Amino acid sequence: MLQTLRRIVQEVNSTRDLSQVLEIIVQRVKKAISADVCSIYLFDSDEELFTLMATDGLNSELVGQVQMSLGSGLVGLVAQRTDPLNLDDAHEHPGFELFTSLNEERFHGFTGIPITHHREVLGVIVVQSESYNRFSQDVVNFLVTIAAQLASAIINAQATRQIPIYSTQEVSKVRRDYRPMIGQPGSPGVAVGKAFSIASSVSLNAVPDRPAKDVANEINVFRLALESVRKDIKSLSFQLLSDGLPTEDVAVFDAYLLMLDSNTLIESTITKIETGNWAAGALRETITEHIQLFGEMDNPYLQERVKDIRDLGQSIFNQMQGINDLPVDKLSKETIIVADDISATLLAEIAKINISGIVLKSGSRTSHVAILARAMGIPTVVGVSELPIMQLDGSQLVADGYSGKVYISPPDHIIKEYSRLISQEEELSQELRELTDKPATTLDEVNIPLYANTGLVADITPSKESGAEGIGLYRTEYPFMIRQRFPGEEEQSTIYKEVMESMAPKPVVLRTLDIGGDKSLSYFPIEEDNPFLGWRGIRVTLDHPEIFMIQLRAMLIASKGQDNLNILFPMISTIGEVEDSINLLERAYEELLTEGHQIKMPKVGVMVEVPSVVFQMRRIASLVDFVSIGTNDLIQYLMAVDRNNANVAELYDSLNPAVLTAIKLVIDEAHKEGIPVSVCGEMAGDPLAAILLLGMSIDSLSTSAASLPGVKWLIRNFSHKEAKELVEKALDMKDAYVIKNMLTERIEKKGLGGLIRAGR
Ligand code: PEP
Ligand code: MG
C-alpha cells in the first residue's frame, strides 16, 4: 500500500493541473484497492454545493453536473460529520439518494472520506463496490491518507483558479472568481500590482525562464557569478589547507574549479543566454543537462559527480542572486515581490526600491522579516502556505496586509475597490503625520512615551520622522547578520555611536546580541533540533564572554559624551543570568574606567520573553532599572506556538486572555518595585492590543516607526480610565475572539477603524 501511495503522491506532485490530479487519483485508487468506482466531489462554500469533479466507474458524462448540498445524500453526510462513512450496503442507509443517471444502482459497498484543510471541508472522496461488503480498515486508512494529500493540491488550484466552474448561475462565477488566498497580516497597508516571483535560494530547479532583456548584461552577470564562486572556492580550499586538512580532502575543490573552467558549462550557458533566456534560467538549463548526462552513466564515480554539479550550479545561482538577484530595472512601485521567504539583506535591498508590497509563503506576523517590512512600511502578507510562487510571476495581485488576503488576478471591481482604499490610506497617513510633534497623551492627561524599534542605521531617520521619543529597542544582531564575521569593538562602537548621537538626548535602548532561534549568522552556525528552545540570546553570549565583552565595551565606549544609553538583555530565563550579565557589564565598565575612558554606567534592563521570568518578576525587577516585555517571544512560549509557523499562526494571538493576564502580572509586580515597564514586541504597535496595554498602566511602548503614528492617534483618543475598564472586561472574557470584537467595536465607534483595516 505504501508503495502505491508513494507512487500516486509522486504523480500528483508532478502534475500541475487539478483536473488531471483528480483523474489520476480516481483511476489509481480504484485500481489499487480493486474497487468498482472511485469518485471525487468538491465543495463550493459560496454556493454550499458539492459537485462531482472526477469519476472512474460512474457515468463520467455527468462530471460537473451532479450536485448536492451539505447534509444531503451520503456525500453531504460525510462532509457534514467530517467523519469517514463505511457501509456494506449504501442503499439501506436512510441518507442514501439515488442518482439514476449516474448508473450507480448496482453499487452497494460504499466508503466516503472527507477531504479537509484547516478544519474546512473541501470535498469528499468516495469508493463503491458491486458486492455487499464493507471496504477493509486498510482501505479506509489508505483513503484517509490520500485525502490528506489531496487537500493542498485543491487549495493550490482554488487560488490559481484551475477549478472549472460548472454552475449555471453567473453570479456564483463572479463570486468564485475572486476568492482570495488567506495568509497572515505581515505589515499593514494594501498593495495592488504585478507579482515578481523570486525563486528561493535553496533551489536552482525552481528558477523560471524569463526573456533576457539585455543579453550582454546577463552574460556579465553569469561571468561575475562564476568569478566570485571561483574566488570563494580558492580561498576556502586555501583556508582548509592552512588549517591542516589533508590535501586529498581538499581535492574536491580542485574538481570544482575544473568544472567551473570547463568550456561546456560556460559556453552552453552563454549560448542559452544568447538564444534569449536570462542568466539564471540559462544556468538552470545547463546544469540540468549536465546532471542528466552524468546521472545516466554507469560509472559510479561519475554518478557521484551529479551532486557536485548540482552544488556548483546552486553556488553560481546564489552568487547571481547576490549580484543581480533583484533586477532593479524590472521592479517598480507596481511590483509585489512573491517568494518563499526573503533574507534580511534582500529586504534591505528591496527597501531601496519603492515597491508596492510583499507576499511570502512562510512566516507569521512576528517573524523577523515581517518586523522589518513593518519598519520599512511595506504592505506585506506572510504565511500564505499554499502560495504557488513560480506560477504567479507576472500576474496581477492585490495583497491586503491588514487581513492577510491575497487576490490573484482579481476582476476589475476588486482592483478598483482596493485602489480607492489606498487613496483613503494616503489621506489618513497625511493626517497622522500632523501628529508628529504632539505628545502621546490620553484624554485624561496620562502620557505614554512612544519609542521606535530599529536595527538598521537606515531606520533612524524614519524613526525620528515618526515622532519617536527615543529608540526603545535597537536589535544589534542586524549589523552582525550582514557581515561575514563578528564585527570588532571599534566597528560596533561606530555603529552604536551613530545611533545614540542621532537621537541624543532622547534615550536609546541597545539590546545585546540576540542570535539563535530564527536569527543566524552565516559565520557562526548554530544547528539544533529545536532552535527556539535552544541556544539563543543571552545563553549564547554568556557562554561566549569574549563576544559579549566586546559588545558591552563597544556600547559603553559609544555612550561617551551622551547620557542616553540603556542596555537590554534578551532571552533571560533565570535570575542567575541577570546577575551574570550585570557582572560582566560592571567588569567592562571598570575596565574602561581603568583605561581612562570617561563614561557613565548605563541603565540596565531585562526582556520578559520567557514565562519563567513572568513568575519571578518582583525579584528580577529589584535587580534592574527597567523591564521590557518582548511579546513576540513571550506569546510564542506561553502558547507553545512557533512564531514563524504558518500552520499554527491562528493560535498565536496577543489578545488571548492568558497572554493578557501574564502581561498584567509583569506590570503589577515590577511597579511594586517602582520599576517602569515597556512593551517592545509587535503587540505594542497593534492598535487593539495597545488599548489594553494602556489600561494596564504600561509606562511606554516601543514599536516600528510605521506603526507609531497610529498608536499615538489611538492614545490621544482614549482616556486611561476607559482603557482600564476595557481591561477589566477583557480579563473576564473567555477568548481572544470576543475580546477582539469588543475592542474593534470601540475603535470603530470612535472613528479610528482605519487603523485596523484597509481604508480610512
Ligand atoms: C520580542 O521577542 O518581542 C522581541 C522584541 O524580540 P525579537 O522580536 O527580536 O525576538
Ligand atoms: Mg525576542
Side-chain angles (χ1 to χ4, degrees):
M1 260 325 172
L2 187 60
Q3 270 303 62
T4 319
L5 187 70
R6 274 208 194 114
R7 255 201 318 272
I8 298 180
V9 169
Q10 247 169 20
E11 228 179 318
V12 164
N13 286 347
S14 59
T15 311
R16 288 209 164 160
D17 178 71
L18 182 73
S19 316
Q20 276 176 22
V21 167
L22 301 182
E23 277 306 318
I24 292 171
I25 292 182
V26 292
Q27 286 167 19
R28 305 290 182 274
V29 168
K30 181 181 154 216
K31 189 161 168 228
I33 61 171
S34 309
D36 297 311
V37 175
C38 179
S39 317
I40 293 174
Y41 297 79
L42 292 191
F43 187 56
D44 177 339
S45 56
D46 289 336
E47 288 192 66
E48 304 222 316
L49 282 179
F50 285 91
T51 307
L52 175 68
M53 303 296 282
T55 183
D56 184 357
L58 298 182
N59 179 1
S60 60
E61 281 172 15
L62 293 190
V63 163
Q65 292 178 39
V66 172
Q67 293 191 316
M68 60 206 71
S69 55
L70 192 65
S72 88
L74 292 182
V75 167
L77 187 69
V78 168
Q80 192 177 43
R81 302 181 342 159
T82 56
D83 199 11
L85 187 64
N86 193 7
L87 305 170
D88 45 19
D89 187 3
H91 297 244
E92 292 295 307
H93 193 282
F96 180 71
E97 280 175 25
L98 186 70
F99 284 87
T100 38
S101 44
L102 272 176
N103 304 334
E104 60 173 352
E105 297 81 347
R106 62 179 199 279
F107 302 113
H108 296 275
F110 173 102
T111 296
I113 309 284
I115 305 167
T116 64
H117 181 76
H118 284 303
R119 302 185 188 188
E120 202 189 318
V121 179
L122 304 176
V124 175
I125 180 165
V126 172
V127 290
Q128 290 169 278
S129 67
E130 286 192 24
S131 66
Y132 290 83
N133 284 327
R134 272 166 201 253
F135 285 93
S136 70
Q137 197 51 45
D138 266 358
V139 166
V140 174
N141 296 344
F142 173 75
L143 291 172
V144 168
T145 318
I146 286 278
Q149 301 270 355
L150 190 53
S152 46
I154 294 172
I155 290 285
N156 202 340
Q158 269 175 348
T160 44
R161 283 176 297 100
Q162 294 171 19
I163 297 184
I165 296 167
Y166 289 120
S167 166
T168 46
Q169 294 169 10
E170 257 332 279
V171 57
S172 76
K173 267 190 192 175
V174 175
R175 265 199 276 136
R176 243 190 281 203
D177 247 353
Y178 63 77
R179 188 181 303 153
M181 290 194 105
I182 307 288
Q184 292 288 318
S187 166
V190 174
V192 174
K194 283 238 160 21
F196 184 90
S197 303
I198 297 183
S200 90
S201 67
V202 283
S203 173
L204 172 65
N205 268 343
V207 170
D209 288 336
R210 269 196 201 130
K213 271 199 188 144
D214 179 346
V215 170
N217 183 44
E218 294 297 317
I219 293 179
N220 196 30
V221 164
F222 170 62
R223 284 197 185 280
L224 283 174
L226 218 53
E227 197 40 50
S228 315
V229 173
R230 193 178 285 127
K231 265 198 208 141
D232 280 358
I233 293 177
K234 274 190 181 153
S235 72
L236 186 62
S237 125
F238 179 73
Q239 175 73 41
L240 294 172
L241 281 174
S242 24
D243 285 353
L245 216 71
T247 325
E248 57 273 27
D249 285 357
V250 183
V252 61
F253 295 113
D254 292 335
Y256 277 15
L257 288 173
L258 280 177
M259 277 190 234
L260 278 179
D261 289 333
S262 90
N263 275 343
T264 35
L265 178 83
I266 302 174
E267 276 166 19
S268 153
T269 309
I270 292 181
T271 312
K272 289 179 169 64
I273 296 176
E274 283 166 348
T275 34
N277 209 348
W278 67 320
L283 175 69
R284 191 211 63 234
E285 285 185 76
T286 306
I287 296 291
T288 315
E289 281 170 13
H290 275 61
I291 289 175
Q292 270 167 1
L293 204 69
F294 278 65
E296 282 163 11
M297 294 181 182
D298 270 348
N299 182 332
Y301 171 80
L302 290 177
Q303 279 188 351
E304 260 304 293
R305 299 280 71 77
V306 165
K307 188 180 167 303
D308 294 343
I309 296 167
R310 190 176 284 126
D311 288 352
L312 202 61
Q314 190 63 52
S315 311
I316 304 172
F317 174 56
N318 291 349
Q319 276 299 334
M320 267 181 198
Q321 288 201 308
I323 300 163
N324 199 12
D325 54 348
L326 277 181
V328 180
D329 54 319
K330 291 185 190 132
L331 305 185
S332 71
K333 62 178 189 313
E334 263 88 53
T335 302
I336 298 183
I337 302 274
V338 177
D340 188 340
D341 194 2
I342 46 180
S343 65
T345 350
L346 192 54
L347 195 55
E349 277 288 302
I350 289 172
K352 289 188 213 145
I353 309 151
N354 185 15
I355 57 157
S356 176
I358 299 173
V359 177
L360 298 181
K361 187 167 178 160
S362 65
S364 70
R365 200 185 132 71
T366 39
S367 31
H368 287 95
V369 56
I371 293 174
L372 279 175
R374 267 198 296 286
M376 293 164 178
I378 308 173
T380 300
V381 176
V382 291
V384 192
S385 51
E386 313 298 335
L387 195 70
I389 299 167
M390 285 305 153
Q391 292 166 40
L392 289 184
D393 195 45
S395 316
Q396 176 85 35
L397 291 189
V398 170
D400 182 340
Y402 295 96
S403 63
K405 288 182 182 155
V406 179
Y407 297 84
I408 299 165
S409 309
D412 280 352
H413 68 276
I414 293 274
I415 297 178
K416 269 203 198 117
E417 173 59 9
Y418 271 100
S419 305
R420 188 181 66 81
L421 294 172
I422 289 178
S423 340
Q424 282 191 3
E425 300 230 306
E426 277 159 11
E427 276 168 36
L428 179 58
S429 5
Q430 183 51 40
E431 281 172 46
L432 293 183
R433 267 195 287 277
E434 285 157 21
L435 297 178
T436 309
D437 298 322
K438 304 224 163 72
T441 305
T442 60
L443 296 171
D444 49 0
E445 300 292 325
V446 175
N447 186 243
I448 312 286
L450 297 183
Y451 301 123
N453 288 353
T454 71
L456 306 168
V457 174
D459 291 345
I460 303 293
T461 313
S463 303
K464 282 164 87 174
E465 284 170 358
S466 71
E469 295 179 53
I471 302 290
L473 171 67
Y474 182 86
R475 292 180 164 96
T476 57
E477 48 279 5
Y478 292 142
F480 281 71
M481 281 158 85
I482 58 177
R483 283 176 171 69
Q484 307 294 318
R485 50 167 178 75
F486 282 108
E489 181 178 298
E490 219 178 293
E491 227 172 326
Q492 289 190 48
S493 147
T494 311
I495 300 168
Y496 305 149
K497 195 174 178 63
E498 205 176 322
V499 179
M500 281 188 269
E501 268 180 0
S502 65
M503 289 310 286
K506 292 175 178 161
V508 169
V509 179
L510 297 184
R511 181 175 73 181
T512 61
L513 189 61
D514 183 23
I515 49 166
D518 63 346
K519 284 177 285 192
S520 60
L521 304 178
S522 56
Y523 49 89
F524 188 70
I526 301 175
E527 275 169 27
E528 295 175 313
D529 285 345
N530 268 317
F532 276 116
L533 298 182
W535 208 37
R536 276 196 73 179
I538 207 73
R539 302 171 183 183
V540 178
T541 45
L542 282 176
D543 284 353
H544 276 281
E546 74 291 3
I547 297 172
F548 201 23
M549 284 297 276
I550 292 177
Q551 183 171 45
L552 293 172
R553 283 174 56 97
M555 288 177 173
L556 292 170
I557 292 172
S559 74
K560 221 191 299 182
Q562 339 281 347
D563 194 12
N564 61 345
L565 172 63
N566 300 264
I567 293 182
L568 181 62
F569 298 126
M571 268 302 283
I572 293 287
S573 51
T574 67
I575 289 175
E577 287 167 347
V578 183
E579 289 170 343
D580 292 347
S581 306
I582 294 176
N583 282 342
L584 284 177
L585 176 62
E586 282 170 351
R587 213 169 85 198
Y589 176 69
E590 296 297 335
E591 266 179 28
L592 289 169
L593 287 188
T594 327
E595 289 167 27
H597 291 277
Q598 296 202 331
I599 42 172
K600 291 191 183 136
M601 182 68 181
K603 288 199 174 127
V604 179
V606 291
M607 291 199 74
V608 181
E609 295 171 291
V610 181
S612 60
V613 169
V614 173
F615 303 106
Q616 287 191 295
M617 200 59 247
R618 182 103 191 239
R619 187 166 259 179
I620 289 180
S622 72
L623 300 174
V624 295
D625 302 306
F626 67 99
V627 165
S628 193
I629 310 180
T631 47
N632 304 341
D633 279 312
L634 183 61
I635 299 170
Q636 132 164 299
Y637 295 126
L638 276 172
M639 301 299 299
V641 170
D642 174 347
R643 63 196 257 188
N644 295 321
N645 185 340
N647 279 334
V648 284
E650 267 179 42
L651 282 172
Y652 187 106
D653 200 324
S654 57
L655 297 180
N656 184 293
V659 173
L660 299 176
T661 308
I663 293 176
K664 185 157 186 314
L665 183 63
V666 170
I667 299 174
D668 292 347
E669 291 291 288
H671 283 177
K672 284 184 196 157
E673 289 294 319
I675 294 300
V677 184
S678 175
V679 168
C680 66
E682 292 307 300
M683 184 176 177
D686 171 351
L688 297 181
I691 303 174
L692 297 181
L693 296 174
L694 168 67
M696 290 179 195
S697 304
I698 197 79
D699 298 285
S700 61
L701 295 173
S702 190
T703 175
S704 67
S707 318
L708 197 144
V711 175
K712 188 185 278 186
W713 191 36
L714 183 106
I715 290 176
R716 291 174 61 85
N717 280 282
F718 268 86
S719 70
H720 184 226
K721 184 166 168 282
E722 180 182 6
K724 255 173 135 168
E725 285 163 8
L726 287 170
V727 170
E728 261 172 48
K729 281 192 187 156
L731 288 177
D732 224 22
M733 291 177 159
K734 80 176 171 97
D735 61 23
Y737 181 77
V738 269
I739 298 175
K740 186 173 177 182
N741 282 347
M742 169 183 76
L743 296 170
T744 306
E745 203 179 293
R746 190 65 65 98
I747 263 192
E748 289 286 0
K749 210 162 131 198
K750 284 178 181 278
L752 308 173
L755 291 176
I756 51 170
R757 49 156 173 77
R760 173 72 171 80

